[in-house]
Structure formats: structure tokens, C-alpha cells
Coordinates of all heavy atoms in Angstrom, one line a residue:
L236 N 105.1 100.1 107.9 CA 105.6 99.5 109.1 C 107.1 99.2 109.1 O 107.6 98.9 108.0 CB 104.9 98.2 109.4 CG 103.4 98.3 109.7 CD1 102.7 96.9 109.8 CD2 103.1 99.0 111.0
S237 N 107.7 99.4 110.2 CA 109.2 99.2 110.2 C 109.6 98.7 111.6 O 109.0 99.0 112.6 CB 109.9 100.5 109.9 OG 111.3 100.4 110.0
T238 N 110.7 97.9 111.6 CA 111.3 97.4 112.8 C 112.3 98.5 113.4 O 112.9 98.2 114.4 CB 112.0 96.1 112.6 OG1 113.0 96.2 111.6 CG2 111.0 95.0 112.3
G239 N 112.3 99.6 112.7 CA 113.1 100.7 113.2 C 114.5 100.9 112.5 O 115.3 101.6 113.0
I240 N 114.6 100.3 111.4 CA 116.0 100.3 110.7 C 116.0 101.3 109.6 O 117.1 101.4 109.0 CB 116.4 98.9 110.2 CG1 115.5 98.5 109.1 CG2 116.3 97.9 111.4 CD1 115.9 97.2 108.4
T241 N 114.9 101.9 109.2 CA 114.9 102.8 108.0 C 116.0 103.8 108.0 O 116.7 104.0 107.0 CB 113.5 103.4 107.9 OG1 112.5 102.5 108.0 CG2 113.4 104.1 106.5
A242 N 116.1 104.6 109.1 CA 117.0 105.7 109.2 C 118.5 105.2 109.2 O 119.4 105.9 108.8 CB 116.8 106.5 110.4
A243 N 118.7 103.9 109.6 CA 120.1 103.4 109.7 C 120.5 102.6 108.5 O 121.6 102.1 108.5 CB 120.2 102.6 111.0
L244 N 119.7 102.5 107.5 CA 120.0 101.7 106.4 C 121.2 102.2 105.5 O 121.9 101.5 104.9 CB 118.8 101.5 105.5 CG 117.8 100.4 106.0 CD1 116.5 100.5 105.1 CD2 118.4 99.0 106.0
G245 N 121.3 103.5 105.5 CA 122.3 104.1 104.6 C 121.6 104.6 103.3 O 120.6 104.0 102.9
V246 N 122.2 105.5 102.6 CA 121.6 106.1 101.4 C 121.3 105.1 100.3 O 120.3 105.1 99.7 CB 122.5 107.3 100.9 CG1 121.9 107.8 99.6 CG2 122.5 108.4 101.9
P247 N 122.3 104.2 99.9 CA 122.0 103.2 98.8 C 120.8 102.4 99.1 O 119.9 102.2 98.2 CB 123.3 102.4 98.8 CG 124.3 103.3 99.3 CD 123.7 104.1 100.4
S248 N 120.6 101.9 100.3 CA 119.5 101.1 100.7 C 118.2 101.9 100.7 O 117.1 101.5 100.3 CB 119.7 100.4 102.0 OG 120.8 99.6 102.0
Q249 N 118.3 103.2 101.2 CA 117.1 104.1 101.2 C 116.7 104.4 99.8 O 115.5 104.5 99.5 CB 117.5 105.3 101.9 CG 117.6 105.1 103.4 CD 118.2 106.3 104.2 OE1 118.5 107.3 103.5 NE2 118.3 106.2 105.5
V250 N 117.6 104.5 98.8 CA 117.2 104.7 97.4 C 116.5 103.5 96.9 O 115.5 103.7 96.1 CB 118.5 105.0 96.6 CG1 118.1 105.0 95.1 CG2 119.1 106.4 97.0
I251 N 116.9 102.3 97.3 CA 116.2 101.1 96.8 C 114.8 101.1 97.4 O 113.8 100.8 96.6 CB 117.0 99.9 97.3 CG1 118.3 99.8 96.6 CG2 116.1 98.6 97.1 CD1 119.2 98.6 97.1
L252 N 114.6 101.5 98.6 CA 113.3 101.6 99.2 C 112.4 102.6 98.5 O 111.2 102.4 98.3 CB 113.3 101.9 100.7 CG 114.0 100.9 101.6 CD1 113.9 101.3 103.1 CD2 113.3 99.5 101.4
I253 N 113.0 103.7 98.1 CA 112.3 104.8 97.3 C 111.8 104.2 96.0 O 110.6 104.4 95.6 CB 113.2 106.0 97.0 CG1 113.5 106.8 98.3 CG2 112.6 106.9 96.0 CD1 114.5 107.9 98.2
I254 N 112.6 103.4 95.3 CA 112.2 102.8 94.1 C 111.1 101.8 94.3 O 110.1 101.7 93.5 CB 113.4 102.1 93.4 CG1 114.5 103.2 93.0 CG2 113.0 101.3 92.2 CD1 115.8 102.6 92.5
L255 N 111.2 101.0 95.4 CA 110.2 100.0 95.7 C 108.9 100.7 96.0 O 107.8 100.2 95.6 CB 110.6 99.2 96.9 CG 111.7 98.2 96.6 CD1 112.2 97.5 97.9 CD2 111.2 97.1 95.7
M256 N 108.9 101.8 96.8 CA 107.6 102.5 97.1 C 107.0 103.0 95.8 O 105.7 102.9 95.7 CB 107.9 103.6 98.1 CG 108.2 103.2 99.5 SD 108.3 104.6 100.7 CE 109.8 105.4 100.2
F257 N 107.7 103.6 94.9 CA 107.2 104.1 93.7 C 106.6 102.9 92.8 O 105.5 103.0 92.3 CB 108.3 104.8 92.9 CG 107.7 105.7 91.8 CD1 107.2 107.0 92.0 CD2 107.7 105.2 90.5 CE1 106.7 107.8 91.0 CE2 107.2 106.0 89.4 CZ 106.7 107.3 89.7
L258 N 107.4 101.8 92.7 CA 106.9 100.7 92.0 C 105.6 100.1 92.6 O 104.7 99.8 91.9 CB 108.0 99.6 91.9 CG 109.2 99.8 91.0 CD1 110.2 98.7 91.2 CD2 108.7 99.8 89.5
G259 N 105.6 100.0 93.9 CA 104.5 99.5 94.6 C 103.2 100.3 94.5 O 102.1 99.8 94.4
R260 N 103.4 101.6 94.4 CA 102.2 102.5 94.3 C 101.6 102.5 92.8 O 100.4 102.4 92.6 CB 102.5 103.9 94.7 CG 101.4 104.9 94.5 CD 100.2 104.4 95.3 NE 99.0 105.3 95.1 CZ 97.8 105.0 95.4 NH1 97.5 103.8 95.8 NH2 96.8 105.8 95.2
I261 N 102.5 102.6 91.9 CA 102.1 102.6 90.5 C 101.6 101.2 90.1 O 100.7 101.1 89.3 CB 103.2 103.1 89.5 CG1 103.7 104.5 90.0 CG2 102.8 103.1 88.1 CD1 102.7 105.5 90.0
G262 N 102.3 100.2 90.6 CA 101.9 98.9 90.2 C 102.8 98.3 89.2 O 103.2 98.9 88.2
P263 N 103.3 97.0 89.4 CA 104.2 96.4 88.5 C 103.6 96.3 87.1 O 104.4 96.5 86.1 CB 104.4 95.0 89.1 CG 104.1 95.1 90.6 CD 103.0 96.2 90.6
M264 N 102.4 96.0 87.0 CA 101.8 95.9 85.7 C 101.7 97.2 85.0 O 102.0 97.3 83.8 CB 100.3 95.3 85.8 CG 99.6 95.1 84.4 SD 100.5 93.9 83.4 CE 100.1 92.4 84.3
A265 N 101.4 98.3 85.7 CA 101.3 99.6 85.1 C 102.7 100.1 84.6 O 102.8 100.7 83.6 CB 100.7 100.6 86.0
I266 N 103.7 99.8 85.4 CA 105.0 100.1 85.1 C 105.5 99.4 83.8 O 106.1 100.0 82.9 CB 106.0 99.8 86.2 CG1 105.8 100.7 87.4 CG2 107.5 99.9 85.8 CD1 106.1 102.2 87.1
A267 N 105.1 98.1 83.7 CA 105.5 97.3 82.6 C 104.8 97.9 81.3 O 105.4 98.0 80.3 CB 105.1 95.8 82.8
I268 N 103.6 98.3 81.5 CA 102.8 98.8 80.3 C 103.4 100.2 79.9 O 103.6 100.5 78.7 CB 101.3 98.9 80.7 CG1 100.7 97.6 80.9 CG2 100.6 99.7 79.5 CD1 99.3 97.6 81.3
A269 N 103.8 101.0 80.9 CA 104.3 102.3 80.7 C 105.6 102.2 79.9 O 105.9 103.1 79.1 CB 104.4 103.1 82.0
L270 N 106.4 101.2 80.3 CA 107.7 101.1 79.6 C 107.7 100.5 78.3 O 108.6 100.6 77.5 CB 108.7 100.3 80.6 CG 109.0 101.0 81.9 CD1 109.9 100.1 82.7 CD2 109.7 102.3 81.7
A271 N 106.6 99.8 78.0 CA 106.5 99.1 76.7 C 106.2 100.1 75.6 O 105.4 101.0 75.7 CB 105.4 98.1 76.7
K272 N 107.0 100.1 74.5 CA 106.8 101.0 73.4 C 105.5 100.8 72.7 O 104.8 101.7 72.3 CB 108.0 101.0 72.5 CG 109.3 101.4 73.1 CD 110.4 101.4 72.1 CE 111.7 101.9 72.7 NZ 112.8 101.9 71.7

């Protein structure tokens, strides 16, 4: 869902949203486990 600002955010903000989507799908816990040696 969006209030319509996605396209106008600019590339840096869009990259942050890309990272958030990836984190949100994989899951914070899974990411933490994956990064742990």
C-alpha cells in the first residue's frame, strides 16, 4: 500500500525500500541467523 509517493522518493530512498522489502520477506530472525558465522 502507498499514499502515492513511491515514484517520487528518489533513488536513495527507493534503495532503502528495496532493502526493507528483502528484509521483511526473509525475516529479521532469518537474516540474523544467516549472517551469524
Side-chain angles (χ1 to χ4, degrees):
L236 291 173
S237 175
T238 56
I240 68 173
T241 309
L244 280 174
V246 174
S248 298
Q249 291 170 355
V250 170
I251 293 175
L252 294 184
I253 288 173
I254 296 172
L255 286 173
M256 288 188 289
F257 195 83
L258 285 172
R260 180 55 183 161
I261 303 301
M264 181 63 72
I266 291 293
I268 294 174
L270 295 177
K272 293 183 179 179

